[in-house]
Amino acid sequence: MGWQVRTLPDRYADSVRLMGIARALRGRDGIAACEVAMGTPANLSALADLGAEASASPGDIVVAVDAGGDEAEAALAEAERMLSAAGSPDAAGARTAAAPRTLGSAAALAGANVALVSVPGEYATLEAHRALSRGLHVFLFSDHVSVEDEVALKRRGAERGLLVMGPGCGTAMLAGVGLGFANVVPSGSVGIVAAAGTGAQEVACLVAAAGGGVSHIVGVGGRDLSADVGGLAFRQALALLGEDERTETVLLVSKPPAPEVVAALGDALPPGKRAVAAFVGLREPEADYEVHHTLEAAALAAAGAPAPDMTELDRAVLAGRDRASGPSVLGLFSGGSLAHEALTILETALGPVAGNVAGHEEGVDGHRILDLGEEEYTQGRPHPMVDLDLRRSMLEDAAGDARIGCVLIDIVLGHGAHPDPAGELAPAVARAADRALVIARVCGTDDDPQDARAQTATLERAGAIVAPSNAAAARLAVRAVKGA
C-alpha cells in the first residue's frame, strides 16, 4: 500500500463532482483512501500532509490513491474515465453533449439566469463578477472568499437587481429547482431566507412533515447577518419573496447573527406577509417580529403545527439509560446549524459544552458538540455530508469510551448528499449503541433519493433512537444523561 498520484493537466471539474468521484473510488476493494481535487496550493498542501506529494497547477486535477499497485492503477484509470464521461458515447452508442467549459458558454444556454460558482476560493470572486456582468444571479457555493469581496459582490448585484447567494452557500431552492444540497419538499406558501445551509434544510423538512410546503429557499451565505455584511442579501431576498404571490409566510433562518443586524431587519420585512425567524443561539433578540431560538420552533410556527408527541421516545430513552452509564454527551454533526441548535439546548440544560461550535475546549462533565463540516475537519477531504469516513471513525472511538453516555448524530439527506448515509454508518452506530444511547435526527423527506423512512429504519435496526427533529434529539440527549 502507498499513495499513487496522477496529475491531469488543463482539466477542470467542480468540487461536488470531484467529491463524488473520490467517494465512488473509496468504495472499491483494495482502496485504503482516495482524494480527487484541483491542484490549488491549499489542496496540494493538504495532500502533502496526507503523504501524497503532487506537482500541479491550479488548472490541473490531481488524483491520489492509497492502494497496492494493481488496485491503484485501476482506480486511477477509472478516475480518468469518470472525468472524461461528458461528451463520450453513452450506453446506447449515442454521443452526449459536452458540458460547457466556460461561464460564457454556459450562460449562452437558453433560459439560464443563475450561475452556480463552485471553484477554489481564490478564483470564485472573479467568476462571480463575470456572472453578474452577464446579468446572472449567482449561487456562490465556494468558500474562502473574503468579507470585503462578499460585500462588493452583493452591493454590485443589488445595483443590477441580481441576487448573490453566498459565499459558502450550500442550499437553495428556486421555483422548485434545488441548488447545492437540497431536499425534495412539496410546493407551498412558506418562503425561506437562510444564512445557514442545513438550517434551511431542517426547517424545510419540518414544514413538509407538518403538512406544509415551500415556495422558495434563498440561501445567502453564513456571514450575511454578521455586522460586517449587514444582511445585504437577506434584505434583497426578503424583497423578492415579498413580490412572490405564492409566499404567504417568510421564514428567516440563521446561526447566531449580529443582534444589531437582526433589529434592523424589521423594516425590510415584506408588507402583508407573516414573518417568523429561527435565530439559533440568539438569546434575547430585539426584534418586532416573531423570533424563536430553535429551528424546530420556528418551522412549526410557520407551518401552524403543534410540537410532536415525544411520549414513546421519552420512554425509549428512559428504558435505555442503563446503557448510558457515562455522564457525557458527544455530538458528531455534519450540519453546522444543527450543531449550533443542539449546543443551544444542551447548554441551557447541562451547562457549558465544549467543541468547535462552542468556541472553548472545556465543558461540564465532558460534553462536546463537533461540527465536522468546519475547515479543521474538511481540509483535504470532502464535506461530511458526502464523506462519512471521519464520523464513522469517531463513532468507533466513542464505542470504546466509557465516559460517553449518549451520542448525538445527524443524517442529512437530499440531492448532493451521500446516497446511503445510514447504511454507511450503521455498523459503527450498532457498536456505539451497545454501551451508550445513540440518538439521531434524519433531516430529509420520504421523497428524497435516500428515502427518510428507509434511512430511519436502518438506524433503528442498528439500535439508534430516531427523533422527529434535531431539537427533539438534543432534548432526548439531555434526558439520557441528566443525573447519570
Side-chain angles (χ1 to χ4, degrees):
M1 302 287 280
W3 285 100
Q4 304 293 319
V5 179
R6 183 170 297 175
T7 298
L8 308 179
D10 298 322
R11 299 284 291 277
Y12 171 77
D14 68 74
S15 59
V16 174
R17 187 178 180 204
L18 295 177
M19 287 189 293
I21 292 172
R23 182 181 66 214
L25 294 177
R26 290 189 195 104
R28 295 168 65 104
D29 290 340
I31 304 299
C34 176
E35 304 294 340
V36 185
M38 298 302 299
T40 64
N43 287 339
L44 294 179
S45 175
L47 287 170
D49 290 341
L50 295 173
E53 298 286 346
S55 176
S57 71
D60 303 335
I61 293 176
V62 178
V63 183
V65 178
D66 185 3
D70 292 342
E71 290 87 354
E73 187 61 33
L76 291 169
E78 178 64 8
E80 285 204 64
R81 186 198 67 76
M82 296 171 75
L83 287 163
S84 301
S88 61
D90 61 19
R95 182 162 293 276
T96 59
R101 293 180 59 84
T102 67
L103 178 63
S105 59
L109 296 174
N113 65 352
V114 178
L116 193 159
V117 177
S118 178
V119 297
E122 55 263 46
Y123 311 107
T125 300
L126 176 59
E127 292 302 322
H129 276 295
R130 285 174 172 167
L132 293 175
S133 296
R134 292 180 176 274
L136 299 172
H137 301 284
V138 176
F139 179 87
L140 186 49
F141 189 84
S142 306
D143 53 14
H144 301 291
V145 174
S146 71
V147 171
E148 293 77 15
D149 285 337
E150 176 177 352
V151 170
L153 281 167
K154 288 180 174 178
R155 285 178 175 166
R156 183 168 181 240
E159 291 170 359
R160 292 169 170 261
L162 299 170
L163 186 62
V164 176
M165 296 169 276
C169 186
T171 297
M173 188 183 76
L174 308 177
V177 178
L179 301 174
F181 298 110
N183 299 98
V184 180
V185 296
S187 178
S189 61
V190 178
I192 299 169
V193 184
T198 48
Q201 291 184 263
E202 174 76 350
V203 296
C205 292
L206 290 174
V207 167
V214 176
S215 57
H216 307 277
I217 301 173
V218 184
V220 295
R223 293 187 305 219
D224 195 75
L225 290 186
S226 68
D228 290 328
V229 183
L232 289 171
F234 225 94
R235 289 173 164 273
Q236 197 175 357
L238 287 170
L240 292 172
L241 289 179
E243 298 171 359
D244 182 61
E245 294 182 356
R246 291 175 298 170
T247 302
E248 298 174 3
T249 298
V250 290
L251 177 51
L252 291 61
V253 181
S254 178
K255 290 178 281 191
E260 64 272 22
V261 178
V262 166
L265 277 181
D267 62 14
L269 296 175
K273 312 277 186 183
R274 181 181 174 217
V276 180
F279 293 142
V280 177
L282 188 62
R283 299 290 184 178
E284 297 180 1
E286 295 183 7
D288 54 2
Y289 49 95
E290 185 178 345
V291 176
H292 297 270
H293 307 306
T294 67
L295 302 167
E296 176 195 55
L300 294 177
D309 184 357
M310 298 288 290
T311 304
E312 291 301 319
L313 292 176
D314 281 336
R315 288 173 180 164
V317 168
L318 292 174
R321 274 184 57 176
D322 288 343
R323 301 201 308 277
S325 56
S328 302
V329 176
L330 172 64
L332 301 175
F333 286 88
S334 61
S337 307
L338 304 182
H340 275 278
E341 182 179 44
L343 175 73
T344 298
I345 292 168
L346 264 63
E347 287 202 324
T348 299
L350 302 175
V353 174
N356 64 342
V357 179
H360 50 80
E361 297 180 358
E362 297 296 329
V364 174
D365 288 329
H367 303 306
R368 287 186 299 149
I369 297 293
L370 301 177
D371 173 12
L372 302 182
E374 285 292 330
E375 291 178 13
E376 64 195 280
Y377 294 111
T378 58
Q379 188 72 30
R381 66 186 313 130
H383 192 279
M385 284 166 56
V386 176
D387 179 1
L388 302 172
D389 288 351
L390 178 60
R391 189 148 52 150
R392 184 172 56 242
S393 174
M394 287 184 166
L395 278 167
E396 298 278 5
D397 292 342
D401 190 340
R403 297 169 299 175
I404 297 172
C406 179
V407 181
L408 267 177
I409 59 171
D410 61 341
I411 302 292
V412 183
L413 311 182
H415 294 290
H418 190 283
D420 183 20
E424 186 84 1
L425 292 177
V429 167
R431 282 187 280 276
D434 281 342
R435 54 149 308 279
L437 281 168
V438 178
I439 302 175
R441 159 61 176 160
V442 175
C443 175
T445 72
D446 297 344
D447 293 322
D448 280 329
Q450 303 89 344
D451 186 349
R453 287 170 298 188
Q455 296 287 301
T456 296
T458 297
L459 291 170
E460 289 176 340
R461 285 194 297 270
I465 296 171
V466 181
S469 71
N470 184 65
R475 292 194 297 270
L476 290 173
V478 171
R479 290 177 176 84
V481 300
K482 194 83 167 176

